[in-house]
Amino acid sequence: MKPLLSIQDYKAHFYTRRGIVKAVNGITYDVHPGQTLAIVGESGSGKSVSQLSYLGLLPTPPLKIMGGQVLFDGNDLLQMSEDQLRKIRGDKISMIFQEPMTSLNPYLKIGSQMIEPLVIHRKKTKKEAWKLATQALERVGLSRADQAMESYPHEFSGGMRQRVMIAMALTTDPKLLIADEPTTALDVTVQAQILELLKSIQQENKMAMILITHDLGVVAGSADEVVVMYAGRVFETGSVDDIFYRSQHPYTRALLRSTPRLDKLEKELPVIQGNPPDLISVSEGCPFYERCSYQKEICKREFPRESSLGAKHKWFCHVEKIS
Amino acid sequence: MGINYVLKRLAIMVPIFFLVVTLVFFMIRFAPGGPFSSEKTVSAAILKNLEAKYHMDEPLLSQYVRYWKDLFRGDLGPSFKHANRTVNEIIAEALPISLELGLLALTWAVLIGVSAGGLAALKPNTVYDYVPMAFSILGICLPTFVVGPVLVLVFGLWLQWLPVAGWETWQDRVLPSLTLGFAYAAYISRLTRGGLIEIRGQEFIRTARAKGLSESEIVIKHSLRGGLLPVVSYLGPALAGIITGALVTETIFNIPGLGRFFIESAVNRDYTVVMGTSLLYFTLIFICNFLVDIIYAILDPRVKYE
Ligand SMILES: Nc1ncnc2c1ncn2[C@@H]1O[C@H](COP(=O)(O)OP(=O)(O)OP(=O)(O)O)[C@@H](O)[C@H]1O
Ligand SMILES: [Mg+2]
């Protein structure tokens, strides 16, 4: 199957006063049509920047794209002009964000925000777009969608607003939906509803999804493939089963161990010792080196080459066999 | 925001208005001197006649009651100093001039302030930001009685582009209104810049971008409204400042506006004119602030006045 999105050795750095922040430092993976790819990793590992940057959603400067390719439908997004990119954003690629409270404009009616993608990309009249947007709200389970269109964001709860965001992102029938921690700000029951909603819509529309999260529970429930990120690098990729049952990277293992599980009652979860490195001073070696219990001399000097098992499962580690 | 809120605001005005009338009435009367004290040439008999004519021979309290009675009929009384003229006449003549000056100054302030601030916000930390912001510091620091003469010197005397006094032609209006509006333009430019830059950092701007809106659509539809709210809420104090600040400008440019009557009447102890102009200022400022609050509530749907 041809990938919908193919990211190859992509690098994006921030040029700040303090120095160069290597937020995305050479990442490679594919996203296939109709599939969900989850990106996991600790806070600051570059998950958000790895997506926002190639879509032109981060200010340049300080951001600078340093190289690689991001092929969407075979076209390199990195070579596109701002105008070309703008035509793709909100049309073929839609996004939803973590904070449903602040991601909608508080000064504008829900309706006038909902219709924007249809008016811009589908050249609909405001009236047509209004009707379509109302239907979109009904599809995501908002009762009295008519009334909701006339309301302002502050009149809704967080979960409702996230439904609005989802409905808005889907009005143009995108091929790819990027969801940056769509449920982190919501309480647990609402989280489950939103994930369920995303899943059902995805199956209906045959849409690909990139789901950024640091909740491995979410990954197990909704992803097909997983990318584990650390300090701007991809450490391991594979199917959900590869990552959960056959993970080969010490960092992935540590991440899994620090996640609460329902089938095991533990008094205290083991946390990963130490802190993620400062992305300004990352060395040539493996950035996990200091925190890794398998560390070897070579880890300090060289970033490991790719190891793989089967077509999909890939990881980057100098250690041959971990227990 | 409902009719209840409007009524409540108006109801609050009643006791405040009462207080203002009372305070000004007694304060001006307890100040040393009186309306006729400088006229040394008049004889004691004429002075007595004058006082009787203006009811100044009555006890203070009955003068106070009389003032209220007249006030209810909309009569602000006769001027003590301008023979044969009533305060109503003076206001009818001078207020339009002051209002025009004030509105022109406000227009300058908003036009210059918003465009300079908008430019600075679009290109922060460039010359388009530094130059307007340097000017705005100047505008905020320099008092009107410095800005006015400097403008007169440059545009009136050196370049000879504009007249420096009077209130006849449109050219006469330029320098005074600029002088009066300058400091407010300076402050509004800072508010605009700050408001717009803050809005542009908000997450809903990123959402708008993610939807494929162009930069100009983002500015016009998503940034201006929220970004200019600080300016709107500043318009109340700005209007009050412009109304009262007109005193200085009118004096510098020799404009027959209300400010001159106000100053002159305070110096001359022209009791009724002092009262009339003070009450007018108070009412204007109250109405302006009220309007601004209503506009704010219309612009920000989250604001609910109870
Ligand atoms: N505008 C910026 N200027 C400089 N550095 C930045 C900027 N934005 C992000 N970074 C840095 O880039 C790195 C990656 O940030 P990113 O937001 O992608 O992390 P994340 O994995 O999404 O984390 P989280 O789980 O907290 O959302 C971080 O170290 C962050 O400090
Ligand atoms: Mg993030």
Side-chain angles (χ1 to χ4, degrees):
Chain A
M1 189 166 35
K2 241 183 76 191
L4 175 67
L5 183 81
S6 178
I7 301 180
Q8 286 159 21
D9 197 26
Y10 174 51
K11 290 185 178 136
H13 299 168
F14 290 103
Y15 280 72
T16 69
R17 229 168 268 181
R18 277 181 57 229
I20 302 170
V21 181
K22 295 176 180 157
V24 179
N25 208 4
I27 58 173
T28 300
Y29 52 84
D30 292 345
V31 185
H32 296 281
Q35 300 233 303
T36 297
L37 176 102
I39 304 178
V40 297
E42 284 170 287
S43 188
S45 53
K47 304 184 295 293
S48 301
V49 174
S50 72
Q51 303 305 311
L52 296 173
S53 56
Y54 66 75
L55 288 171
L57 291 176
L58 293 174
T60 50
L63 183 90
K64 194 167 172 213
I65 288 173
M66 304 302 291
Q69 286 187 316
V70 179
L71 301 173
F72 178 73
D73 257 351
N75 302 313
D76 191 354
L77 297 178
L78 303 183
Q79 301 303 325
M80 289 187 183
S81 68
E82 164 59 22
D83 261 1
Q84 290 170 309
L85 254 188
R86 194 157 52 75
K87 293 212 173 82
I88 291 178
R89 284 200 303 259
D91 185 4
K92 296 203 177 93
I93 302 179
S94 284
M95 286 208 71
I96 51 181
F97 299 103
Q98 174 173 350
E99 280 296 334
M101 293 298 174
T102 49
S103 295
L104 288 166
N105 190 331
Y107 306 112
L108 299 177
K109 282 183 183 164
I110 301 270
S112 78
Q113 302 184 54
M114 287 277 309
I115 62 172
E116 282 174 333
L118 286 167
V119 172
I120 296 167
H121 300 296
R122 293 292 135 88
K123 305 282 173 273
K124 299 276 184 215
T125 65
K126 281 197 175 156
K127 226 173 136 194
E128 289 169 329
W130 196 275
K131 229 171 97 191
L132 290 167
T134 312
Q135 289 164 4
L137 281 183
E138 279 162 4
R139 269 203 301 282
V140 298
L142 239 74
S143 54
R144 279 178 293 185
D146 273 332
Q147 228 172 307
M149 292 284 285
E150 298 281 353
S151 311
Y152 289 95
H154 71 272
E155 299 171 66
F156 285 133
S157 68
M160 300 264 270
R161 283 191 234 193
Q162 201 58 297
R163 279 174 199 270
V164 170
M165 284 295 292
I166 292 170
M168 186 161 74
L170 296 176
T171 46
T172 54
D173 237 329
K175 290 187 178 175
L176 174 65
L177 177 70
I178 300 171
D180 191 350
E181 316 216 18
T183 59
T184 310
L186 307 174
D187 60 50
V188 186
T189 45
V190 183
Q191 271 188 26
Q193 291 167 5
I194 294 289
L195 288 170
E196 201 51 48
L197 174 69
L198 280 173
K199 218 156 110 187
S200 71
I201 287 171
Q202 186 193 13
Q203 274 158 13
E204 231 171 88
N205 298 15
K206 306 255 178 306
M207 170 184 77
M209 185 154 89
I210 294 177
L211 182 65
I212 299 175
T213 178
H214 38 231
D215 185 344
L216 285 168
V218 170
V219 175
S222 17
D224 301 298
E225 288 175 40
V226 184
V227 167
V228 180
M229 274 192 84
Y230 186 83
R233 303 256 194 189
V234 170
F235 271 5
E236 189 164 12
T237 67
S239 68
V240 171
D241 286 352
D242 288 337
I243 298 299
F244 277 82
Y245 302 113
R246 297 182 286 275
S247 71
Q248 298 295 321
H249 199 289
Y251 177 67
T252 311
R253 295 273 178 102
L255 208 58
L256 286 166
R257 266 200 308 277
S258 65
T259 306
R261 288 174 56 168
L262 289 177
D263 55 347
K264 277 195 198 163
L265 275 179
E266 283 153 317
K267 275 232 182 67
E268 254 178 79
L269 285 169
V271 292
I272 308 176
Q273 291 299 318
N275 289 311
D278 183 352
L279 293 179
I280 287 178
S281 51
V282 284
S283 63
E284 287 300 296
C286 173
F288 190 53
Y289 166 73
E290 274 120 33
R291 301 166 79 189
C292 184
S293 42
Y294 296 89
Q295 53 176 247
K296 297 200 290 190
E297 196 44 40
I298 187 168
C299 303
K300 212 168 160 179
R301 281 180 281 115
E302 254 176 59
F303 191 76
R305 275 198 297 231
E306 177 185 302
S307 315
S308 62
L309 200 72
K312 280 189 175 162
H313 192 184
K314 297 180 180 126
W315 65 93
F316 298 82
C317 186
H318 288 298
V319 183
E320 301 288 324
K321 200 93 197 135
I322 61 172
S323 44
Chain B
M1 185 185 51
I3 191 81
N4 273 343
Y5 172 74
V6 175
L7 290 178
K8 216 183 268 177
R9 272 296 281 266
L10 291 174
I12 294 172
M13 192 187 170
V14 175
I16 301 180
F17 189 80
F18 175 83
L19 215 69
V20 172
V21 171
T22 311
L23 271 178
V24 179
F25 184 91
F26 288 106
M27 267 166 56
I28 185 77
R29 260 154 245 258
F30 286 134
F36 312 117
S37 58
S38 59
E39 297 174 37
K40 300 206 165 58
T41 45
V42 293
S43 68
I46 294 175
L47 194 65
K48 235 182 157 53
N49 276 339
L50 273 174
E51 288 191 337
K53 181 182 167 201
Y54 294 111
H55 307 287
M56 295 235 327
D57 48 351
E58 294 174 13
L60 207 51
L61 218 58
S62 57
Q63 287 184 45
Y64 175 68
V65 173
R66 179 186 301 281
Y67 191 81
W68 270 112
K69 278 185 185 158
D70 290 345
L71 195 57
F72 267 110
R73 286 188 283 107
D75 179 4
L76 294 167
S79 163
F80 289 11
K81 278 282 167 175
H82 299 268
N84 302 324
R85 296 190 67 190
T86 66
V87 179
N88 292 45
E89 280 167 11
I90 290 175
I91 287 179
E93 191 187 297
L95 181 64
I97 296 174
S98 289
L99 275 187
E100 190 186 343
L101 173 63
L103 287 179
L104 282 174
L106 187 72
T107 312
W108 281 123
V110 172
L111 273 183
I112 298 176
V114 169
S115 27
L119 187 69
L122 281 180
K123 305 210 181 294
N125 305 319
T126 64
V127 274
Y128 301 103
D129 184 9
Y130 297 142
V131 172
M133 287 308 114
F135 261 98
S136 102
I137 291 198
L138 219 63
I140 291 169
C141 297
L142 290 180
T144 313
F145 58 77
V146 174
V147 174
V150 167
L151 288 179
V152 165
L153 200 64
V154 176
F155 295 101
L157 302 181
W158 290 348
L159 299 172
Q160 307 232 329
W161 286 351
L162 293 160
V164 299
W167 195 255
E168 307 293 328
T169 61
W170 69 264
Q171 287 98 330
D172 288 338
R173 272 114 170 122
V174 178
L175 285 185
S177 55
L178 264 180
T179 302
L180 183 54
F182 193 60
Y184 300 94
Y187 200 68
I188 285 176
S189 74
R190 307 218 132 225
L191 287 175
T192 306
R193 178 185 184 272
L196 285 178
I197 285 182
E198 201 204 308
I199 286 284
R200 291 179 74 75
Q202 300 280 319
E203 299 196 14
F204 60 79
I205 296 297
R206 189 178 61 188
T207 306
R209 225 168 251 137
K211 283 191 280 190
L213 271 75
S214 67
E215 280 308 305
S216 56
E217 286 169 319
I218 288 174
V219 171
I220 292 164
K221 190 170 171 195
H222 286 268
S223 314
L224 277 184
R225 191 159 175 170
L228 291 185
L229 278 180
V231 175
V232 172
S233 47
Y234 174 63
L235 285 185
L239 272 163
I242 284 176
I243 290 167
T244 48
L247 307 182
V248 181
T249 312
E250 285 172 10
T251 311
I252 296 175
F253 291 95
N254 200 22
I255 297 165
L258 208 56
R260 278 187 28 205
F261 284 102
F262 181 65
I263 294 182
E264 181 198 279
S265 64
V267 173
N268 289 340
R269 306 279 183 274
D270 193 344
Y271 293 158
T272 42
V273 177
V274 171
M275 288 292 295
T277 42
S278 307
L279 293 181
L280 189 71
Y281 282 144
F282 166 75
T283 313
L284 279 177
I285 290 169
F286 179 88
I287 292 173
C288 290
N289 278 312
F290 189 31
L291 285 180
V292 164
D293 283 352
I294 289 175
I295 295 173
Y296 195 99
I298 291 170
L299 288 178
D300 188 346
R302 288 169 302 181
V303 173
K304 290 266 179 295
Y305 291 126
E306 296 303 330

